Amino acid sequence: MVPAKPKAGRSRLINKVRTRGRRLLHYLRLPLVRRALLLAAVLALLFLWATNLTGFASHAWGLLYRTFGLGAVLFIPLALALAWLLWQQRLLSAFKRLGHRFRRWNLWLGGMAFALALWGIWGFFYAPGGTLGDVSLGGRLGQWIAGDSLPQGIVTVLALTLLGFLFIAPRGTVTVFHALFLALGKALRAGGRGLLMMLRGIYMGAVLSIRGLAGAYGRYPVHRGIIGLARLVRRRRPVAPMPPPPRPAAEVTPQPPKPVPAPAPAPRPELEEAAQRLGQRYVASAPAAEAGWQLPPLDLLDRAGDVEWGQMDDEHRARHIEEALASYGVEAKVVQINRGPTVTQFGVEPGWDRKFKEVKERDEAGAIKVRRQEVSKTRVKVDRIAALASDLAMTLAVPSIRIEAPVPGKPMVGIEVPNTSTGLVSLRGVIESAPFQKAVAKSRLTLALGRGAGGEAVVTDLARMPHLLIAGATGSGKTVCLNAIICCLLLHNTPDEVKFIIVDPKRVEMVIYNSIPHLASPVVVDSQKAINTLRWLNQEMDRRYERMAAAGARNIEAYNNGRPPAQGMPYLILIIDELADLMMTAFDEVERSLCRLAQLARATGIHLVVATQRPSVDVVTGLIKANFPTRISFALISQVDSRTILDRGGAEHLLGRGDMLYLPTDAAKPKRLQGCFVSEAEIERLVYFWNSQSQERPVPSLVEEVTPAPPSKPERPADPFLEAARRLAQEHKRISTSFLQRRLNIGYPRAARLMDTLIEEGVVPGESGKAKEGTQ
């Protein structure tokens, strides 16, 4: 039998060779080794082909220098930068970052236009001799831009400069040229009439061209326009006039009266003219739809300007916070800074509360030295930081600060400090954000609320709320928030998808929406008619439940699934601008109607948005709070009002003007936001856009003009002892409540009711509760 030792030896030898080969490959893969090998290869090539490479480099540099002139010097730092990136193996990541920079393509094109203009200026000058003697200082490129004649070159350079300004600052360029032409026209009015008309024609053509270029390429990126056009085409839906819901012939339900439209506010000519011009432009440019509603474009809303802020200011305030906390014996460190439009949140990480003891020791010379030795350390309690809110406000020289202890989901305490310059949060900016676009693709009832303390967009779905309660003092931003909610829904829903019922006891805030086709009835301004509207809304909820039960649907989404818009049920949004006025008119009925709607109306597509400026316990009762889990609080006067609306303090420290606390259903603590701002001009443009379609396509009102019957007094069932009480009254001359209680062996309340009934029937004369004479 052959022994297996030689085979085992060969295997060990092969494994040893393989291991050494892997080690060698691993050594060659090290970055330092690869760079050394690359450098050695480059040096070897330079040594072997030094003459050829020198000639090639000289020829290439001469060609580059004659083509670009003095601009060829710019290629030297570019080549060095590419070599450095290649050496550091960062070339791919650099190209990726450069691709992200290309999103601001207008700035790149403007810079290229300015560079070509600079080459054209160099093309006017020639070197006395040398390489550029037969061409210009700008090389062949500059000579080509300058042209054959001096006037042609000047016109070309001016055109490139103007094009660069148009790409970089389109609005400013249009404004400057507009002012220049106006000044030129005033100066030439004393001249010839024909020359003035010619200049006017040139001016109008130039302005229209510049505005077209600026509007198409300067203000808005091209990809957003393409996305918006695709979204408009996708959202076109055929719409037919909506008949009222079918009802059985025997069913007679009271309806609220059609409210009298409130007087429209005094027109402002400049805003109406601007709205008409803008609305006509977009309606004319919109594709014609025979039976479909056209959703408004996002260009009807304005953009908000950016607010400049310095990072050094925030770092300076962060050091002040750390020093102030240390002066009060609280060790803490600012680990995060989130800057928002109104406040900046400084994330503070609590330090340690250390305890020391003094230890006495003798050194080599025999002297006694005292040394402090740490005995124990514990984390600083969050309550100690929260108790220093007033002291921190004094240190930072701000009116008030809010401390969120701790920040949800983070191991730190949030100190919210007001900014020195407040930024404006536009509705358009939040709608264009990625969170809103992602949410609106799932639900058309998505609302843009504002931006958080870190500048992030905050959106929510009204269908999941499902009802919203808003509170805030006068001037804190409640009505602006309601306008933002209405405009957000008008931008993404047709009248066949959403209907509004707006109650405005102030008579001047919401009447601007009085002519849009989304209204189920004109804006209600009378308190009694508002109560009738609540009655009708309760009956409409019951009718919708009957229709869904007959169709076998659990909610409005299942009922409308697969149905055309004309046969489906639209969402009904009830908006009340001031709840306190209705509660003063009819407390019991308003509370009962609102609570019933809040409890049952979600599945039928009815949602409530209620606002009040007086969140006291007699307006926002316990039943209303229990049925409105989602709440928004703007700036309030006292902590008592804040606890009424949010069940906690904090709203009394808000800054006003849209600064709010948002408490969603699934959150344990409210979140601070800066609400969206919608100007009056934006609202008028949006209303005019929908009015231009509703004039050709009238929409029937869901709230019919039927006066509800007055509630009748409920009749009590006849008491079995009433006949016996009548006999006692006839048999005895004087009877009383106690007499009936003893003879009939009943309780006092029942005997009192029997006595009141006998007095109402005239069997016993006089007032109740006293001994009466019976009828003989």
Side-chain angles (χ1 to χ4, degrees), residues 43-215:
L43 292 177
L45 290 176
L46 291 177
F47 179 76
L48 293 177
W49 295 303
T51 306
N52 297 333
L53 289 177
T54 304
F56 175 75
S58 176
H59 177 71
W61 173 250
L63 181 62
L64 188 67
Y65 195 53
R66 292 176 62 85
T67 303
F68 295 99
L70 297 179
V73 182
L74 301 176
F75 290 92
I76 297 177
L78 180 63
L80 293 177
L82 289 176
W84 173 256
L85 291 175
L86 184 62
W87 180 263
Q88 296 291 331
Q89 298 181 359
R90 298 177 182 176
L91 189 61
L92 185 59
S93 60
F95 278 117
K96 287 183 179 179
R97 289 195 298 268
L98 191 62
H100 290 297
R101 297 287 184 183
F102 269 105
R103 294 179 180 177
R104 303 294 299 274
W105 55 271
N106 57 325
L107 300 181
W108 288 91
L109 292 179
M112 292 173 61
F114 283 133
L116 292 177
L118 180 61
W119 256 296
I121 294 174
W122 285 339
F124 292 136
F125 304 97
Y126 289 83
T131 307
L132 301 178
D134 55 343
V135 293
S136 62
L137 294 181
R140 291 193 177 94
L141 178 61
Q143 192 174 3
W144 175 73
I145 295 174
D148 298 332
S149 61
L150 182 62
Q152 177 186 355
I154 293 175
V155 171
T156 305
V157 170
L158 291 178
L160 288 173
T161 306
L162 176 61
L163 189 62
F165 279 114
L166 276 176
F167 277 117
I168 293 178
R171 291 184 180 180
T173 307
V174 172
T175 304
V176 170
F177 270 84
H178 182 74
L180 288 177
F181 274 100
L182 286 180
L184 184 61
K186 291 180 181 179
L188 294 176
R189 280 183 182 176
R193 185 76 175 176
L195 180 61
L196 185 60
M197 294 299 295
M198 183 183 67
L199 288 175
R200 282 184 178 178
I202 296 174
Y203 164 69
M204 292 302 298
V207 168
L208 289 177
S209 302
I210 291 173
R211 284 182 178 176
L213 287 173

Side-chain angles (χ1 to χ4, degrees), residues 381-402:
K381 294 184 178 180
V382 176
D383 297 337
R384 292 181 59 187
I385 301 178
L388 298 174
S390 301
D391 302 302
L392 290 175
M394 181 184 65
T395 303
L396 298 173
V398 293
S400 63
I401 65 172
R402 178 176 174 267

Side-chain angles (χ1 to χ4, degrees), residues 397-419:
V398 293
S400 63
I401 65 172
R402 178 176 174 267
I403 297 181
E404 188 176 12
V407 177
K410 298 179 181 179
M412 63 182 184
V413 177
I415 300 178
E416 297 172 355
V417 183
N419 295 335

Side-chain angles (χ1 to χ4, degrees), residues 347-367:
V348 176
E349 182 181 8
W352 298 94
D353 191 2
R354 308 173 189 272
K355 293 183 179 181
F356 298 90
K357 70 174 183 179
E358 294 182 354
V359 179
K360 296 181 179 180
E361 297 178 348
R362 292 183 179 272
D363 56 2
E364 297 177 355

Side-chain angles (χ1 to χ4, degrees), residues 188-414:
L188 294 176
R189 280 183 182 176
R193 185 76 175 176
L195 180 61
L196 185 60
M197 294 299 295
M198 183 183 67
L199 288 175
R200 282 184 178 178
I202 296 174
Y203 164 69
M204 292 302 298
V207 168
L208 289 177
S209 302
I210 291 173
R211 284 182 178 176
L213 287 173
Y217 301 102
R219 291 178 59 189
Y220 315 113
V222 173
H223 67 280
R224 292 181 180 172
I226 298 174
I227 293 172
L229 181 61
R231 190 177 297 141
L232 288 177
V233 174
R234 179 171 56 88
R235 290 179 180 172
R236 289 172 52 191
R237 290 182 174 85
V239 176
M242 180 186 294
R247 303 175 186 170
E251 181 184 3
V252 178
T253 55
Q255 303 288 337
K258 188 174 182 180
V260 179
R268 297 175 60 181
E270 64 276 6
L271 290 180
E272 288 187 358
E273 292 177 3
Q276 290 178 3
R277 288 197 303 269
L278 191 58
Q280 288 173 357
R281 185 177 70 185
Y282 285 115
V283 171
S285 63
E290 297 181 358
W293 293 98
Q294 182 68 40
L295 289 175
L298 201 57
D299 295 340
L300 293 176
L301 302 179
D302 298 332
R303 293 180 182 269
D306 298 332
V307 178
E308 298 182 357
W309 57 279
Q311 187 178 0
M312 296 299 296
D313 297 338
D314 291 339
E315 294 178 355
H316 181 68
R317 289 195 291 180
R319 288 195 300 269
H320 269 292
I321 291 175
E322 293 178 354
E323 293 172 359
L325 291 175
S327 63
Y328 290 103
V330 177
E331 181 183 348
K333 183 181 180 182
V334 177
V335 295
Q336 187 176 359
I337 301 177
N338 299 321
R339 187 175 183 88
T342 305
V343 298
T344 300
Q345 186 186 67
F346 295 89
V348 176
E349 182 181 8
W352 298 94
D353 191 2
R354 308 173 189 272
K355 293 183 179 181
F356 298 90
K357 70 174 183 179
E358 294 182 354
V359 179
K360 296 181 179 180
E361 297 178 348
R362 292 183 179 272
D363 56 2
E364 297 177 355
I368 299 177
K369 292 185 177 180
V370 179
R371 178 175 57 87
R372 296 185 65 191
Q373 181 180 357
E374 182 178 338
V375 178
S376 64
K377 64 176 183 178
T378 56
R379 278 288 183 185
V380 174
K381 294 184 178 180
V382 176
D383 297 337
R384 292 181 59 187
I385 301 178
L388 298 174
S390 301
D391 302 302
L392 290 175
M394 181 184 65
T395 303
L396 298 173
V398 293
S400 63
I401 65 172
R402 178 176 174 267
I403 297 181
E404 188 176 12
V407 177
K410 298 179 181 179
M412 63 182 184
V413 177

